[in-house]
Coordinates of all heavy atoms in Angstrom, one line a residue:
Y699 N -5.6 3.3 -13.9 CA -7.0 3.3 -14.1 C -7.3 3.2 -15.6 O -6.8 4.1 -16.4 CB -7.7 4.5 -13.5 CG -7.7 4.5 -12.0 CD1 -6.8 5.3 -11.4 CD2 -8.6 3.8 -11.3 CE1 -6.7 5.3 -10.0 CE2 -8.5 3.8 -9.9 CZ -7.6 4.5 -9.3 OH -7.6 4.5 -7.9
G708 N -12.3 1.2 -15.3 CA -11.4 2.2 -14.7 C -12.1 3.4 -14.0 O -11.8 3.9 -12.9
K709 N -13.1 3.9 -14.7 CA -13.9 5.0 -14.2 C -14.6 4.6 -12.9 O -14.6 5.4 -11.9 CB -14.9 5.5 -15.2 CG -14.3 6.1 -16.4 CD -15.3 6.4 -17.5 CE -14.7 6.6 -18.8 NZ -15.6 6.6 -19.9
S710 N -15.2 3.5 -12.9 CA -15.9 3.0 -11.7 C -15.0 2.8 -10.6 O -15.2 3.1 -9.4 CB -16.7 1.7 -12.0 OG -17.7 1.9 -12.9
K711 N -13.8 2.1 -10.9 CA -12.8 1.9 -9.8 C -12.3 3.2 -9.2 O -12.2 3.3 -8.0 CB -11.7 1.0 -10.4 CG -10.5 0.8 -9.4 CD -10.1 -0.6 -9.3 CE -9.0 -0.8 -8.3 NZ -9.1 -0.3 -7.0
L712 N -12.0 4.1 -10.1 CA -11.5 5.4 -9.6 C -12.6 6.1 -8.7 O -12.3 6.6 -7.6 CB -11.2 6.4 -10.8 CG -10.8 7.8 -10.4 CD1 -9.6 7.9 -9.5 CD2 -10.6 8.6 -11.7
A713 N -13.8 6.1 -9.2 CA -14.9 6.6 -8.4 C -15.0 5.9 -7.0 O -15.1 6.6 -6.0 CB -16.2 6.6 -9.1
D714 N -15.0 4.6 -7.0 CA -15.0 3.9 -5.8 C -13.9 4.2 -4.8 O -14.0 4.4 -3.7 CB -15.1 2.4 -6.0 CG -16.4 1.9 -6.7 OD1 -17.4 2.6 -6.6 OD2 -16.4 0.8 -7.2
D715 N -12.6 4.2 -5.4 CA -11.4 4.5 -4.6 C -11.5 5.9 -4.0 O -11.0 6.1 -2.9 CB -10.2 4.3 -5.5 CG -9.9 2.9 -5.8 OD1 -10.5 2.0 -5.3 OD2 -9.0 2.7 -6.7
A716 N -12.1 6.8 -4.7 CA -12.1 8.2 -4.2 C -13.4 8.5 -3.4 O -13.5 9.5 -2.8 CB -12.1 9.2 -5.4
G717 N -14.3 7.5 -3.4 CA -15.6 7.7 -2.7 C -16.5 8.8 -3.3 O -17.1 9.6 -2.6
V718 N -16.5 8.8 -4.7 CA -17.3 9.8 -5.4 C -18.2 9.0 -6.3 O -18.0 7.9 -6.6 CB -16.5 10.8 -6.1 CG1 -15.6 11.6 -5.2 CG2 -15.6 10.2 -7.2
H719 N -19.2 9.7 -6.9 CA -20.1 9.1 -7.9 C -19.4 8.9 -9.2 O -18.6 9.8 -9.6 CB -21.3 10.0 -8.1 CG -22.2 10.1 -6.9 ND1 -23.0 9.1 -6.5 CD2 -22.4 11.1 -6.0 CE1 -23.6 9.4 -5.4 NE2 -23.3 10.7 -5.1
R720 N -19.7 7.8 -9.8 CA -19.1 7.5 -11.2 C -19.5 8.6 -12.2 O -18.7 9.0 -13.0 CB -19.6 6.2 -11.7 CG -18.9 5.8 -13.0 CD -19.5 4.4 -13.5 NE -18.8 4.0 -14.7 CZ -19.0 4.5 -15.9 NH1 -19.9 5.4 -16.1 NH2 -18.3 4.0 -16.9
A721 N -20.7 9.1 -12.0 CA -21.1 10.2 -13.0 C -20.2 11.4 -12.9 O -19.9 12.1 -13.9 CB -22.6 10.6 -12.7
V723 N -17.0 11.4 -12.2 CA -15.8 11.1 -13.0 C -16.0 11.2 -14.5 O -15.3 11.7 -15.2 CB -15.3 9.7 -12.6 CG1 -14.1 9.2 -13.5 CG2 -14.8 9.6 -11.1
L741 N -10.4 13.0 -5.6 CA -9.7 12.5 -6.8 C -8.2 12.8 -6.8 O -7.4 12.0 -7.1 CB -10.4 13.1 -8.0 CG -11.8 12.6 -8.3 CD1 -12.4 13.5 -9.4 CD2 -11.8 11.2 -8.7

Side-chain angles (χ1 to χ4, degrees):
Y699 294 100
K709 294 173 196 167
S710 294
K711 174 131 177 56
L712 174 58
D714 290 345
D715 290 351
V718 301
H719 293 285
R720 184 183 186 280
V723 173
L741 290 170

